[in-house]
Amino acid sequence: MLNGFRLMASAVILGAIMLSGCNNSSEPDEAQQEKSPVMNENPDANTVKKGVSDVIQSIKGLESEISTEADPEKIQEMGKEISSTWDSIEKQVEDEYPDWYERIEKNLYPLIGESGNPDKDLEKINRLSEAAKEDLQLFLGEVK
């Protein structure tokens, strides 16, 4: 019974390893990109735009929570979501748009930090979220 399980597990792992190589294509990356018209312009810019839009949506969600229930645990959770979403594009923004990166982080990091404070200053969170959202929206217009 145990030997049969080991044999089956080994076969599954070997099959997965073999299949992982099946998706390789002899076409260069440019040819693959031409097949995807949405991502054809600048895939990096599209990734940044999507990430920034997601951060803005997360901030709007935080603002909504503050204006309704202002549940401290929910605010902290939403701050973590903002941080996680920003982290997914942060390095790319820092490398490609260093001036915008500095500008955005002047409000974004304090916003994330304040949302995690045990004694939350809701006025400060509102002020920082408005400023961060404004910077992010202006930045979206700059991403090409």
Side-chain angles (χ1 to χ4, degrees):
M1 178 82 177
L2 189 56
N3 284 337
F5 176 75
R6 286 184 184 157
L7 182 61
M8 182 65 108
S10 296
V12 168
I13 291 170
L14 182 60
I17 291 170
M18 291 175 68
L19 285 175
S20 68
C22 289
N23 197 21
N24 289 344
S25 171
S26 60
E27 295 178 8
D29 287 343
E30 289 128 25
Q32 288 178 352
Q33 286 179 358
E34 287 174 17
K35 293 179 183 176
S36 175
V38 175
M39 298 298 278
N40 201 19
E41 288 178 23
N42 184 347
D44 291 341
N46 287 331
T47 301
V48 170
K49 286 180 182 180
K50 168 95 173 75
V52 170
S53 294
D54 290 347
V55 173
I56 291 170
Q57 285 307 116
S58 295
I59 292 172
K60 287 179 179 179
L62 175 66
E63 290 174 331
S64 177
E65 177 62 31
I66 289 171
S67 69
T68 56
E69 296 179 38
D71 175 11
E73 288 180 20
K74 184 76 172 161
I75 291 170
Q76 183 172 354
E77 183 182 310
M78 296 178 106
K80 287 179 183 177
E81 178 185 319
I82 293 167
S83 178
S84 174
T85 306
W86 175 247
D87 286 349
S88 70
I89 59 165
E90 178 180 17
K91 182 69 176 148
Q92 193 173 352
V93 173
E94 183 179 20
D95 291 346
E96 296 176 26
Y97 309 92
D99 293 340
W100 277 104
Y101 173 79
E102 283 185 38
R103 179 175 173 174
I104 291 166
E105 292 214 330
K106 282 183 182 169
N107 292 306
L108 191 62
Y109 273 133
L111 171 62
I112 293 166
E114 188 61 40
S115 68
N117 276 346
D119 300 321
K120 294 170 184 23
D121 181 342
L122 298 183
E123 277 185 42
K124 185 175 183 181
I125 291 175
N126 274 328
R127 192 173 61 250
L128 290 168
S129 67
E130 278 298 317
K133 202 169 54 176
E134 182 180 323
D135 287 342
L136 288 163
Q137 287 169 334
L138 289 171
F139 173 59
L140 266 181
E142 295 291 317
V143 178
K144 303 286 183 235

